[in-house]
Amino acid sequence: MAVRQRPFHLVVFGASGFTGQFVTEEVAREQMDPEGSSRLAWAVAGRCREKLQRVLERAAQKLGRPTLPSEVGIIICDITTPGSLDEMARQATIVLNCVGPYRFYGEPVVKACIENGTSCIDISGEPQFLELMYWKYHQKAAEKGVYIIGSSGFDSIPADMGVIYTSNKINGTLTAVESFLTINSGPEGLCIHDGTWKSAVYGFGNQNQLKKLRNQSNLKPVPIVGAKLKRRWPVSYCRELSSYSIPFLGADVSVVKRTQRYLHENLDQSPVQYAAYVTVGGITSVIKLMFAGLFFLLFVKFGIGRQLLIRFPWLFSFGYFSKQGPTQKQIDAASFTMTFFGQGYSHTCPIENNKPNIRVCTQVKGPGISHMT
């Protein structure tokens, strides 16, 4: 991609938000070389200069890098002002967009980046936004020679890479994978920022729009190779992990399916069926989640119900989500394990009309979800 020289290689947009602060700190950490100087020119962007300055100061203190605030640029822009987004995009080769929910705030950034020849990366876990941006802007981005890359955080790198890794490890043809996400918390328990909760509320409240979008896309179905993967009940027991599980409601299935479509249509690879679940522990957790799920499904159908869910995330999620998000101690003590159970066929076993004759188990592990942004 040939572009004119720009002041900044990358810009973190929304750096003063909950997620943006972690991204800013991580970029600062990665940009430190042994001599203590930055390798790439970069900047933070948002509405308030004072807040952005404080984010840089906190990162500088945490990393032991007092000169950091003077080394990083600051760009003032607002999602509601297209001209300021254009100005930000013109100054960067890549924009890391941390402003969500993306269904409301993501498209103006994508549009500004494409029009100004800038690549854009986000951490969206919202299938409707991800798929809509592809259909609206794929051709324009290709013509401009820029990349628009969605869901580049916990949704959905572990899932997408895990399926590919599992496919590479099986001694034959992988045809189906089930993944189980287990989140491990420390002594202070688990808490998730309500940005994820908001995405879920709006996603469920607009399921019909996603179905309509997929119907309008008129894509050919990806062929099912081998035995069809059976979907589990909404609450099921995984014997291998000795835990109950529920369907994972993020973007993993959408992202993995799109990857498998690409690999099949462009690289002639055998497509893999995929289902995603999250473990919830024992029967006590199941009962608790069932009550939370019933409230959620009841309230999410109506506008006033969605407003209540968004206003009181801690109450309706039984303490799993909050507007404050996890404390630093909770973040540091948390980790995740994603276990993939794959099935397929050996090279000597015909796929047609036969049951899978080989199985494989792989895992992706990492620090807390907040570190995956």
Side-chain angles (χ1 to χ4, degrees):
M1 179 177 64
V3 295
R4 63 178 177 80
Q5 188 65 36
R6 301 187 177 199
F8 305 111
H9 185 84
L10 61 89
V11 170
V12 180
F13 179 48
S16 59
F18 179 81
T19 299
Q21 295 179 57
F22 290 104
V23 175
T24 298
E25 183 182 316
E26 195 61 30
V27 172
R29 181 181 287 107
E30 289 296 320
Q31 290 307 300
M32 291 175 63
D33 65 18
E35 283 72 40
S37 60
S38 294
R39 290 174 287 185
L40 298 173
W42 64 289
V44 292
R47 292 178 297 178
C48 178
R49 180 178 294 275
E50 289 74 20
K51 289 183 178 180
L52 295 171
Q53 189 69 32
R54 285 198 293 271
V55 168
L56 291 175
E57 289 170 356
R58 282 196 294 269
Q61 184 177 15
K62 191 168 185 179
L63 298 173
R65 180 95 174 268
T67 59
L68 179 66
S70 63
E71 298 169 0
V72 180
I74 293 179
I75 300 173
I76 305 303
C77 64
D78 193 323
I79 198 72
T80 61
T81 309
S84 69
L85 295 177
D86 287 332
E87 181 60 28
M88 173 186 69
R90 281 193 289 267
Q91 297 185 63
T93 302
I94 303 170
V95 169
L96 308 182
N97 183 15
C98 303
V99 181
Y102 291 92
R103 69 169 55 247
F104 299 127
Y105 308 120
E107 185 171 359
V109 181
V110 170
K111 186 177 180 181
C113 285
I114 291 174
E115 290 179 350
N116 292 280
T118 306
S119 291
C120 180
I121 300 175
D122 67 52
I123 55 169
S124 171
E126 305 165 44
Q128 185 179 344
F129 169 77
L130 295 166
E131 295 180 32
L132 181 61
M133 292 302 98
Y134 176 80
W135 294 117
K136 289 186 70 170
Y137 295 105
H138 171 70
Q139 190 60 41
K140 294 179 181 178
E143 291 170 358
K144 283 281 190 175
V146 299
Y147 294 94
I148 307 300
I149 305 174
S151 95
S152 299
F154 188 77
D155 288 51
S156 294
I157 290 175
D160 212 18
M161 297 302 294
V163 172
I164 293 172
Y165 178 79
T166 304
S167 181
N168 291 337
K169 289 298 177 181
I170 198 168
N171 188 22
T173 301
L174 183 71
T175 59
V177 170
E178 289 182 315
S179 71
F180 292 84
L181 168 65
T182 300
I183 301 175
N184 309 298
S185 60
E188 296 197 7
L190 175 69
C191 181
I192 303 174
H193 189 259
D194 76 329
T196 301
W197 176 259
K198 289 179 182 177
S199 296
V201 170
Y202 291 122
F204 268 86
N206 294 276
Q207 278 185 312
N208 289 336
Q209 294 182 19
L210 179 57
K211 291 178 181 178
K212 184 178 179 181
L213 173 64
R214 288 173 173 172
N215 289 335
Q216 290 175 341
S217 67
N218 204 26
L219 288 170
K220 293 180 181 179
V222 176
I224 294 175
V225 177
K228 186 175 182 179
L229 180 63
K230 294 180 180 179
R231 294 297 186 264
R232 294 173 179 256
W233 289 93
V235 177
S236 63
Y237 187 74
C238 178
R239 287 177 297 178
E240 295 88 347
L241 299 176
S242 301
S243 176
Y244 287 93
S245 68
I246 60 174
F248 180 69
L249 303 178
D252 287 0
V253 172
S254 173
V255 172
V256 170
K257 282 185 175 180
R258 196 170 75 178
T259 297
Q260 292 302 312
R261 175 183 293 279
Y262 176 85
L263 294 175
H264 172 67
E265 294 180 348
N266 295 275
L267 301 179
D268 200 30
Q269 293 187 16
S270 180
V272 178
Q273 303 168 69
Y274 177 65
Y277 303 93
V278 55
T279 62
V280 295
I283 193 67
T284 302
S285 297
V286 169
I287 294 172
K288 187 177 179 182
L289 281 168
M290 285 179 66
F291 276 105
L294 287 172
F295 277 115
F296 184 89
L297 293 174
L298 178 64
F299 279 66
V300 80
K301 294 180 179 179
F302 309 100
I304 190 169
R306 291 193 289 272
Q307 292 177 25
L308 288 171
L309 288 170
I310 290 169
R311 188 173 181 183
F312 303 107
W314 187 87
L315 175 64
F316 288 103
S317 69
F318 285 72
Y320 285 107
F321 294 87
S322 76
K323 293 182 180 294
Q324 293 75 32
T327 65
Q328 190 62 52
K329 287 184 178 180
Q330 286 176 319
I331 292 171
D332 293 340
S335 62
F336 77 91
T337 300
M338 193 171 259
T339 304
F340 299 82
F341 296 108
Q343 64 183 34
Y345 299 80
S346 63
H347 296 297
T348 58
C349 178
I351 295 177
E352 292 77 12
N353 302 319
N354 283 307
K355 292 183 178 180
N357 69 333
I358 52 175
R359 297 182 182 276
V360 62
C361 175
T362 63
Q363 286 187 326
V364 174
K365 297 182 179 182
I369 293 175
S370 295
H371 288 91
M372 286 294 297
T373 53

